[in-house]
Amino acid sequence: APSGCGKGTILAEVMKDEKFYYSVSATTRSPRPGETDGVNYHFLGREQFEELIKTGGMLEYAEYCGNYYGTPRDKVLEKINEGKNVILEIEVQGAMQLREKCPEAVFVFIAPPSVAELRNRLEKRGTETPEVINQRVSETAQEISFAYRYDYVVVNNILEDAVNDFISVIRAEELKAENQKNIIDEVLKNA
Ligand code: 5GP
């Protein structure tokens, strides 16, 4: 989802369950007050980031509002192999790259209730200059048109509802027949 849609807040709730792993992205943007290197992002210089792109270290990456953002590949693969549900919190260009690379991934678009409300939230957060807020709001309006290419859309109006919607999506995915092979085999045992 675009920034300011409340992804962070929704995911903070979801991440309380240990079966999830939150992929920490790399970025060239500067840390906001309160952000910690290695926790919110791996904060890198442009050269470092470009080196990682060159050596295939990024599962996906994009340039967004003048900075690079990307998902370090190795950690994600390691956690998938451990059987975790890996969550990537990324913008649309990166999501579309992943759609090609990982067709089995599930794509959830988190939308703000309106563009006006998004602006309101960014202004309240107060971590960006008015110029950056304008840039992000117009970027978002464009991103929302990509929502149809996702599997699910969760509108973040009331936080608790959005969290429940997101958890429902994950549960629905778990219950898909194709993901229940072991359980079906178990049911059929000794038939
Ligand atoms: P922010 O600067 O507000 O933290 O993030 C700006 C945008 O970049 C958000 O939409 C966020 O989801 C996205 N983003 C964060 N990490 C990644 C990443 O690893 N890859 C891509 N493609 N986008 C990311």
Side-chain angles (χ1 to χ4, degrees):
S3 71
C5 293
K7 272 175 310 197
T9 329
I10 294 175
L11 291 182
E13 281 302 309
V14 172
M15 297 316 297
K16 289 179 182 164
D17 186 331
E18 295 216 327
K19 70 182 173 193
F20 297 107
Y21 171 76
Y22 177 85
S23 162
V24 179
S25 295
T27 184
T28 57
R29 94 155 154 70
S30 316
R32 293 188 186 122
E35 284 185 333
T36 309
D37 189 33
V39 175
N40 305 91
Y41 281 105
H42 301 288
F43 294 101
L44 305 181
R46 271 189 99 77
E47 276 180 16
Q48 271 176 301
F49 199 105
E50 284 169 354
E51 189 57 31
L52 273 170
I53 298 172
K54 257 199 239 154
T55 54
M58 292 295 180
L59 196 55
E60 60 71 37
Y61 73 94
E63 238 180 316
Y64 180 89
C65 294
N67 285 301
Y68 280 125
Y69 293 85
T71 304
R73 170 192 294 270
D74 292 352
K75 197 75 186 173
V76 169
L77 299 185
E78 178 191 315
K79 293 293 168 182
I80 288 175
N81 287 336
E82 283 175 20
K84 299 261 182 188
N85 287 336
V86 177
I87 302 221
L88 308 185
E89 180 191 330
I90 64 181
E91 51 66 71
V92 296
Q93 303 167 68
M96 295 302 110
Q97 288 170 40
L98 271 184
R99 255 238 184 277
E100 299 290 310
K101 275 194 192 165
C102 311
E104 70 279 19
V106 179
F107 294 85
V108 185
F109 191 93
I110 316 274
S114 68
V115 172
E117 174 58 17
L118 171 72
R119 177 180 289 281
N120 193 12
R121 287 180 189 174
L122 288 175
E123 282 170 358
K124 258 204 212 144
R125 189 167 80 181
T127 51
E128 268 84 20
T129 60
E131 195 194 355
V132 171
I133 290 179
N134 283 338
Q135 195 183 8
R136 281 175 179 254
V137 168
S138 73
E139 196 74 43
T140 298
Q142 289 186 11
E143 283 186 291
I144 292 172
S145 63
F146 278 84
Y148 287 112
R149 302 204 202 171
Y150 284 62
D151 300 308
Y152 299 92
V153 174
V154 170
V155 175
N156 186 13
N157 189 10
I158 296 162
L159 176 66
E160 199 189 332
D161 292 348
V163 170
N164 285 333
D165 286 347
F166 191 84
I167 289 170
S168 303
V169 164
I170 290 163
R171 189 67 187 137
E173 286 296 320
E174 286 172 345
L175 294 179
K176 274 191 170 165
E178 67 204 47
N179 295 330
Q180 298 264 59
K181 192 169 178 314
N182 292 345
I183 290 161
I184 295 167
D185 289 348
E186 190 61 32
V187 174
L188 283 177
K189 228 188 216 168
N190 306 322

